[in-house]
Amino acid sequence: MYAIGPFVGILMVQFPVLAVLIAGLVIVSMPGRRLTGRSGGLARAGLGVLLAEVVASMIWSAVFTQIVAQGPFDMSVTQFSVVNAIISFMLAVLFAAGLGLLVAALVSARSRADG
């Protein structure tokens, strides 16, 4: 059985980040905003990737908490550490990709304004 407490705690901690990412997506997607064309698309993609990373991180944190709470499990500590490292690396790559897309949006908007 899954305990809801850890998930609520994780959601409360991540709520400000989720709120900013969702608000950013809404603002960037509004018609008539300054970021249009390629820069707007890159900004929306970056915010979407960051949102996906936060949700995936929340899910992994909840799963991790449940695995630890259940006590003995089939995997050894070393195997579990490897799985945790792989998932953490994938989440870090996702975060870096989202941040990179946001930087690309800013650079493309800036170069368009200069030219």
Side-chain angles (χ1 to χ4, degrees):
M1 184 169 176
Y2 182 76
I4 195 76
F7 184 73
V8 170
I10 292 165
L11 181 63
M12 288 175 61
V13 169
Q14 292 294 332
F15 181 76
V17 176
L18 286 169
V20 167
L21 291 173
I22 292 169
L25 271 171
V26 169
I27 290 168
V28 170
S29 298
M30 292 172 68
R33 301 309 299 178
R34 289 190 65 177
L35 288 178
T36 58
R38 185 173 72 179
S39 59
L42 287 169
R44 282 188 296 280
L47 290 168
V49 169
L50 288 171
L51 186 60
E53 186 273 333
V54 168
V55 170
S57 178
M58 288 173 50
I59 291 169
W60 174 241
S61 294
V63 168
F64 176 80
T65 303
Q66 282 304 114
I67 290 172
V68 170
Q70 289 178 357
F73 44 92
D74 295 338
M75 294 170 50
S76 71
V77 172
T78 304
Q79 290 171 325
F80 187 72
S81 296
V82 168
V83 169
N84 187 38
I86 291 169
I87 291 172
S88 295
F89 177 76
M90 290 173 19
L91 290 170
V93 168
L94 204 56
F95 178 80
L99 201 55
L101 286 166
L102 283 177
V103 169
L106 292 173
V107 169
S108 69
R110 178 79 177 157
S111 63
R112 185 179 50 134
D114 288 343

